[in-house]
Amino acid sequence: GNSVTQMEGPVTLSEEAFLTINCTYTATGYPSLFWYVQYPGEGLQLLLKATKADDKGSNKGFEATYRKETTSFHLEKGSVQVSDSAVYFCALSDSDTGKLIFGQGTTLQVKP
Amino acid sequence: EPEVTQTPSHQVTQMGQEVILRCVPISNHLYFYWYRQILGQKVEFLVSFYNNEISEKSEIFDDQFSVERPDGSNFTLKIRSTKLEDSAMYFCASRVAHIDTGELFFGEGSRLTVL
């Protein structure tokens, strides 16, 4: 079945450091891929998405490229800020049902 | 900007009691979902709902759970007899179309604590 695997957290970085959060997936068909972010005490917000192979999603300085050959959708940001501290979830959309399947989440803590 | 709203934000209940969690999806959306997140764990799919019926449900969504859209705006999740392990954050979500490019919009969640 479809599944998403993210790197273990927590990830602790200093402000302005480079961020990578790894995400790999297993899927039948051609799912869309998403990164959602959950700030402390809040709900899930879409950060970025990519709908087909080689697409790059980007938002707020974050980027992720849909890599079909490596079944990956790694999240990157060149210079993190304290305000980026949150839990990041990688997800795929089941191409048959439309439901989202989430990874386990990666907590990012950015220190000043 | 339209948003999904959920009530209550936090509910504390005794084991065995019935709980109803309410959601108002975005008005032109057609597909509705409930997800659950036990503290510190992944977000898990519970159920999807379209055209006034369940379109898919997970193994978690047993006979103790039910959903309905009673009045064309609200979308509710009922837990008939709560268990300790039902303690979690419950997220409602909706989407406008059943295509996999359609973004899922999530509410802020309802935290359920079962004592």
Side-chain angles (χ1 to χ4, degrees):
Chain A
N2 295 343
S3 66
V4 176
T5 302
Q6 291 179 234
M7 64 186 288
E8 293 282 333
V11 174
T12 303
L13 296 173
S14 297
E15 207 164 22
E16 299 184 5
F18 184 85
L19 168 71
T20 301
I21 300 178
N22 289 339
C23 171
T24 57
Y25 67 91
T26 302
T28 55
Y30 302 95
S32 291
L33 301 175
F34 304 83
W35 277 99
Y36 277 81
V37 58
Q38 185 179 30
Y39 297 104
E42 297 186 16
L44 295 163
Q45 301 174 29
L46 178 67
L47 180 60
L48 53 85
K49 69 179 183 183
T51 58
K52 60 184 188 299
D54 300 325
D55 267 4
K56 178 187 283 188
S58 61
N59 185 27
K60 299 181 182 179
F62 291 90
E63 292 183 340
T65 301
Y66 190 151
R67 301 281 187 207
K68 194 164 181 289
E69 64 276 13
T70 54
T71 61
S72 65
F73 193 56
H74 305 320
L75 183 68
E76 297 182 335
K77 186 174 185 182
S79 175
V80 293
Q81 306 300 311
V82 172
S83 56
D84 294 327
S85 298
V87 182
Y88 291 82
F89 292 92
C90 186
L92 66 81
S93 179
D94 186 298
S95 53
D96 291 327
T97 66
K99 76 181 183 193
L100 283 182
I101 297 167
F102 286 87
Q104 65 268 42
T106 302
T107 299
L108 170 65
Q109 184 177 24
V110 181
K111 297 187 173 180
Chain B
E1 186 176 325
E3 59 181 15
V4 176
T5 57
Q6 290 185 240
T7 54
S9 56
H10 188 195
Q11 182 156 355
V12 181
T13 191
Q14 295 292 322
M15 191 169 56
Q17 295 296 303
E18 177 182 282
V19 162
I20 298 176
L21 305 179
R22 291 183 168 79
C23 170
V24 179
I26 295 173
S27 61
N28 64 335
H29 285 191
L30 301 176
Y31 295 84
F32 313 112
Y33 304 81
W34 282 101
Y35 284 79
R36 178 180 85 173
Q37 184 184 28
I38 295 172
L39 187 63
Q41 298 186 24
K42 72 190 311 183
V43 179
E44 301 172 293
F45 168 78
L46 290 179
V47 66
S48 59
F49 191 86
Y50 169 70
N51 201 26
N52 283 322
E53 61 182 24
I54 291 173
S55 47
E56 186 181 359
K57 59 184 181 180
S58 71
E59 292 176 354
I60 302 167
F61 196 88
D62 62 22
D63 292 344
Q64 294 299 314
F65 291 87
S66 63
V67 289
E68 64 174 2
R69 191 156 156 79
D71 56 14
S73 61
N74 289 285
F75 178 52
T76 62
L77 174 69
K78 181 191 293 186
I79 309 174
R80 189 169 309 127
S81 176
T82 50
K83 303 188 280 283
L84 295 176
E85 54 265 36
D86 294 327
S87 295
M89 181 74 88
Y90 289 82
F91 291 105
C92 175
S94 67
R95 77 160 84 227
V96 63
H98 181 55
I99 52 175
D100 62 4
T101 56
E103 176 186 345
L104 228 58
F105 290 81
F106 284 84
E108 293 198 347
S110 293
R111 181 169 297 285
L112 176 64
T113 302
V114 182
L115 302 176

